[in-house]
Amino acid sequence: KESQNVYMFYSTGRRFCKGCLCVFHLKPRQDLLSSFFNLFFPDVNHDFMSIDIPMNEADMDSFLFSIVRQNQLNSLCHIMTDLATYPRQVPLEFLPKTLCCLTDWDELVDKLMPSSFKQTIRKCEPSFELMHLSDQNRISYLSLNDVPKKALRFRFRIPPVERLDSEMIPLLKMVFEMIDLVGKLHLPEDANSKILRQSKSKMEQRRRANREGRRRNKSNAI
């Protein structure tokens, strides 16, 4: 228990990964004022579940694949710098208009999105917030110093009780099937080389842009 409305669950023992951290960010319900606020403004706050899975480096190839809400993309790019730096947006017919896909290799869509996953995302779209698979992770795990380079991250909005089983069970099933799918995925050598070259090039571009920004700031300060 992290606070009155944040709960963390940690587990280990699955192949391909180091563990799984599940965090529930719930609406404040610990006092009468919060309860009245939630009652009269039910759409302001929501219950969320986030799942972070640090992968074994030897069991995940180098790539980035992400499906996010279209209206949250800009804000997520400030939190997940790899999302802003490496991938490009890819149009997918099966995705609802509220979601978008970003990847650094288009062929990953066929390899990581079997028909069962596509159906789950379409069916559970109101509860789906984020799926982020990255070999350039910048977000800490169990502590500030624990930043796994390769990680999977999911975020779901917990639906009302009448839709809980029909939406959360398929989404959670997709999470754990994705661990095995990523662990078994082996990209062709030419694809790996291409992704690594693109990553190095974009990382260097970002560094140059940061250096140029710092020089401009110093010049303006003088």
Side-chain angles (χ1 to χ4, degrees), residues 123-127 159 163-172:
K123 177 185 175 183
C124 307
E125 181 273 334
S127 300
R163 298 192 346 247
L164 192 62
D165 288 350
S166 62
E167 293 190 15
M168 289 307 298
I169 289 177
L171 287 172
L172 292 175

Side-chain angles (χ1 to χ4, degrees), residues 60-107:
M60 179 176 174
D61 279 353
S62 296
F63 65 84
L64 191 148
F65 184 86
S66 189
I67 296 178
V68 303
R69 288 204 163 271
Q70 189 81 48
N71 60 359
Q72 297 177 5
L73 180 58
N74 290 336
S75 59
L76 285 172
C77 286
H78 292 290
I79 301 171
M80 303 175 178
T81 55
D82 56 337
L83 194 60
T85 304
Y86 301 105
R88 66 183 185 85
Q89 194 162 331
V90 178
L92 299 179
E93 292 184 359
F94 74 87
L95 280 183
K97 293 182 179 180
T98 54
L99 303 174
C100 63
C101 176
L102 298 97
T103 183
D104 50 10
W105 194 51
D106 294 4
E107 284 77 1

Side-chain angles (χ1 to χ4, degrees), residues 4 12 45 49 74 76 97 113 146 167 204:
Q4 294 293 337
T12 59
N45 293 322
M49 172 197 291
N74 290 336
L76 285 172
K97 293 182 179 180
M113 284 285 109
D146 184 9
E167 293 190 15
E204 184 57 34

Side-chain angles (χ1 to χ4, degrees), residues 213-222:
R214 286 194 294 270
R215 280 198 294 268
R216 283 199 300 266
N217 290 336
K218 288 181 180 180
S219 300
N220 292 335
I222 295 174

Side-chain angles (χ1 to χ4, degrees), residues 178-189:
M178 183 63 80
I179 297 174
D180 294 334
L181 191 58
V182 170
K184 294 176 181 177
L185 176 64
H186 297 290
L187 301 180
E189 188 63 33

